[in-house]
Amino acid sequence: MSKKLVPIVHCSLIWYCLSMPILSISDETIRQAAAHIVRGGIVAFPTETVYGLGADAFNPGALAMIFEIKNRPRFDPLIVHIAALGALEKIADLSMLDNDTRKKLDALTEKFWPGPLTLILPKQQTVPDLATSGLPTVAVRLPSLASARQLIALSSGAVAAPSANPFGCLSPTSARHVLATLGGKVEIILDGGPAQVGLESTVLDICGGQPRILRPGGVPKEAIEAVIGPLAENTASGGAVTGPGMMKSHYAPRASLEAHDMETLLETPVEDKCAFLFFDGASRDKWLKKRKPPQDTLIKVLSETGNITEAGANFFQSLHELDKPELCRIYAQFAPKEGLGAAINDRLQKASRI
Ligand code: TXA
Ligand code: MG
């Protein structure tokens, strides 16, 4: 590098570092981010599921900015995040619930909050229509990541936050994922390391008759049924509430993705420039024995030992790593159907363009 170029490179490096919106998480940066939310700003922040794009849930101007930054249709409602159970009644009108539903709500919050469960409840009139897309209901979540609760408590006490990705794209499980797709649009990105659960929260509707899952996620159906009994089938799929959880193509990488069970993958011809994402190491080994792919074939595994929690935590990270422009197709193996596998398979189906 020429001597003349060195100061220029240094200057732009310093400028780049100063303008980088990523702040490592600490009491100080959380305070800074909370003040930004109070002023009507937008902050990307970690939760145990995925990174969220947060704004004061009671500030319509800030909510409008979230939709704009994400390029998200306004008919798709947001989740309101609270920092403590005591804040629930500010967001949801619990007086509208019958006794049985009230008991179910108490049992669910006792067992799963804080954690990756979002509850659909009747909304308080004070919650802006923009947050709920005009619905009479509101989605509420109490995250388990302590730094997320600290941020919410120090800002407005109610932070509306969708996942911090452009609408329809892969969800972010690290600050780098947010920077890569929304950098330049968000002033502050708090970096709390990789998201532990790695899959979005389970969205459970408990105010429309028999409870039903609208989006499978971090709390498995079986665990919910163990607490409140059988859930209704989700008949709203592709129907009434049109949100990302319910849209056919969503959570998608740029390369086209096909999800299959192992039997089909073993028969699938291996093209040039394609990648494979296996659920476990044993499946990969079985496939390698039979298929003998070209050397440049990208191969990833969600969990070597087939641990479903680990697979969930690695899911979006693996898809981000495989999301390369030079790849023409990603073949993914479905996870086992039970537990968190339902959420992984739901995301694979929605990312799949076939
Ligand atoms: O884990 C998560 O839930 C993350 C983190 C940041 O908390 N958030 C997240 O938000 O995934 P988002 O906006 O990407 O997904 C929220 C889902 C959408 O499918 C939306 O349609 C649904 O919740 N939703 C929100 N309010 C609703 C309502 N009142 N009725 C039915 N579905 C609703
Ligand atoms: Mg999302």
Side-chain angles (χ1 to χ4, degrees), residues 79 117-118 120 139 201-205 212-217:
I79 297 174
L117 177 68
T118 293
I120 306 295
S201 61
T202 301
V203 179
L204 182 72
D205 185 355
R212 69 197 166 117
I213 289 178
L214 301 180
R215 176 181 71 183

Side-chain angles (χ1 to χ4, degrees), residues 73 76 165-170 238 242-257 346-354:
D76 189 7
N165 54 318
F167 183 71
C169 297
L170 293 174
T242 19
M246 290 138 236
M247 280 172 187
K248 268 194 166 169
S249 173
H250 204 70
Y251 313 105
R254 282 165 296 182
S256 83
L257 184 142
D346 170 79
R347 305 306 184 268
L348 281 176
Q349 256 147 3
K350 284 178 182 131
S352 169
R353 292 181 183 164
I354 55 164

Side-chain angles (χ1 to χ4, degrees), residues 225-347:
E225 289 190 322
V227 175
I228 58 166
L231 301 177
E233 281 303 307
N234 181 15
T235 47
S237 238
V241 179
T242 19
M246 290 138 236
M247 280 172 187
K248 268 194 166 169
S249 173
H250 204 70
Y251 313 105
R254 282 165 296 182
S256 83
L257 184 142
E258 284 185 24
H260 296 292
D261 55 22
M262 195 53 196
E263 287 65 41
T264 311
L265 281 182
L266 284 169
E267 301 308 323
T268 304
V270 184
E271 305 160 307
D272 280 347
K273 296 186 186 160
C274 67
F276 284 79
L277 179 61
F278 291 98
F279 175 68
D280 59 358
S283 301
R284 175 207 48 215
D285 295 346
K286 190 171 168 190
W287 182 84
L288 277 175
K289 238 180 177 172
K290 181 155 184 209
R291 302 304 314 192
K292 310 230 171 357
Q295 269 205 332
D296 61 350
T297 308
L298 267 174
I299 297 174
K300 284 202 171 289
V301 171
L302 290 181
S303 164
E304 265 308 315
T305 57
N307 178 302
I308 193 78
T309 308
E310 187 185 21
N314 287 334
F315 178 71
F316 278 119
Q317 171 62 28
S318 305
L319 283 180
H320 277 282
E321 285 170 20
L322 292 178
D323 195 14
K324 298 182 189 303
E326 65 270 23
L327 276 184
C328 63
R329 208 180 308 280
I330 301 169
Y331 292 97
Q333 179 190 9
F334 278 124
K337 291 188 179 66
E338 308 74 39
L340 284 181
I344 295 177
N345 292 343
D346 170 79
R347 305 306 184 268

Side-chain angles (χ1 to χ4, degrees), residues 57-77:
F58 289 102
N59 182 335
L63 295 175
M65 235 150 44
I66 285 189
F67 285 94
E68 202 177 303
I69 291 173
K70 274 187 67 98
N71 200 15
R72 175 173 173 131
R74 293 232 180 151
F75 62 71
D76 189 7

Side-chain angles (χ1 to χ4, degrees), residues 10-277:
H10 274 180
C11 282
S12 45
L13 195 68
I14 290 166
W15 179 85
Y16 179 69
C17 291
L18 287 177
S19 63
M20 279 258 289
I22 291 192
L23 301 177
S24 182
I25 218 153
S26 68
D27 287 349
E28 180 46 37
T29 55
I30 290 174
R31 262 196 298 276
Q32 226 177 300
H36 191 60
I37 289 178
V38 171
R39 285 194 300 270
I42 310 290
V43 169
F45 67 101
T47 80
E48 73 280 13
T49 56
V50 299
Y51 275 63
L53 195 61
D56 177 355
F58 289 102
N59 182 335
L63 295 175
M65 235 150 44
I66 285 189
F67 285 94
E68 202 177 303
I69 291 173
K70 274 187 67 98
N71 200 15
R72 175 173 173 131
R74 293 232 180 151
F75 62 71
D76 189 7
L78 306 174
I79 297 174
V80 177
H81 296 67
I82 53 176
L85 190 55
L88 178 59
E89 292 198 58
K90 274 194 206 148
I91 312 298
D93 184 357
L94 304 186
S95 71
M96 302 277 282
L97 300 177
D98 59 41
N99 279 345
D100 180 51
T101 309
R102 185 63 214 240
K103 276 191 197 141
K104 284 180 174 146
L105 169 69
D106 291 343
L108 289 166
T109 54
E110 163 88 25
K111 176 78 181 170
F112 299 113
W113 276 11
L117 177 68
T118 293
L119 296 171
I120 306 295
L121 291 163
K123 108 182 190 25
Q124 284 289 10
Q125 294 217 327
T126 46
V127 175
D129 280 343
L130 203 49
T132 61
S133 299
L135 292 171
T137 55
V138 62
V140 193
R141 175 159 123 72
L142 175 55
S144 64
L145 192 72
S147 65
R149 290 207 306 276
Q150 206 181 332
L151 175 73
I152 299 160
L154 287 174
S155 51
S156 59
V159 169
S163 49
N165 54 318
F167 183 71
C169 297
L170 293 174
S171 287
T173 54
S174 75
R176 293 259 145 209
H177 295 159
V178 182
L179 186 71
T181 55
L182 296 181
K185 293 184 172 175
V186 190
E187 286 108 350
I188 298 180
I189 302 173
L190 287 178
D191 186 353
Q196 275 175 355
V197 176
L199 298 163
E200 300 88 340
S201 61
T202 301
V203 179
L204 182 72
D205 185 355
I206 61 163
C207 62
Q210 193 182 3
R212 69 197 166 117
I213 289 178
L214 301 180
R215 176 181 71 183
V219 175
K221 180 181 183 208
E222 297 86 335
I224 296 172
E225 289 190 322
V227 175
I228 58 166
L231 301 177
E233 281 303 307
N234 181 15
T235 47
S237 238
V241 179
T242 19
M246 290 138 236
M247 280 172 187
K248 268 194 166 169
S249 173
H250 204 70
Y251 313 105
R254 282 165 296 182
S256 83
L257 184 142
E258 284 185 24
H260 296 292
D261 55 22
M262 195 53 196
E263 287 65 41
T264 311
L265 281 182
L266 284 169
E267 301 308 323
T268 304
V270 184
E271 305 160 307
D272 280 347
K273 296 186 186 160
C274 67
F276 284 79
L277 179 61

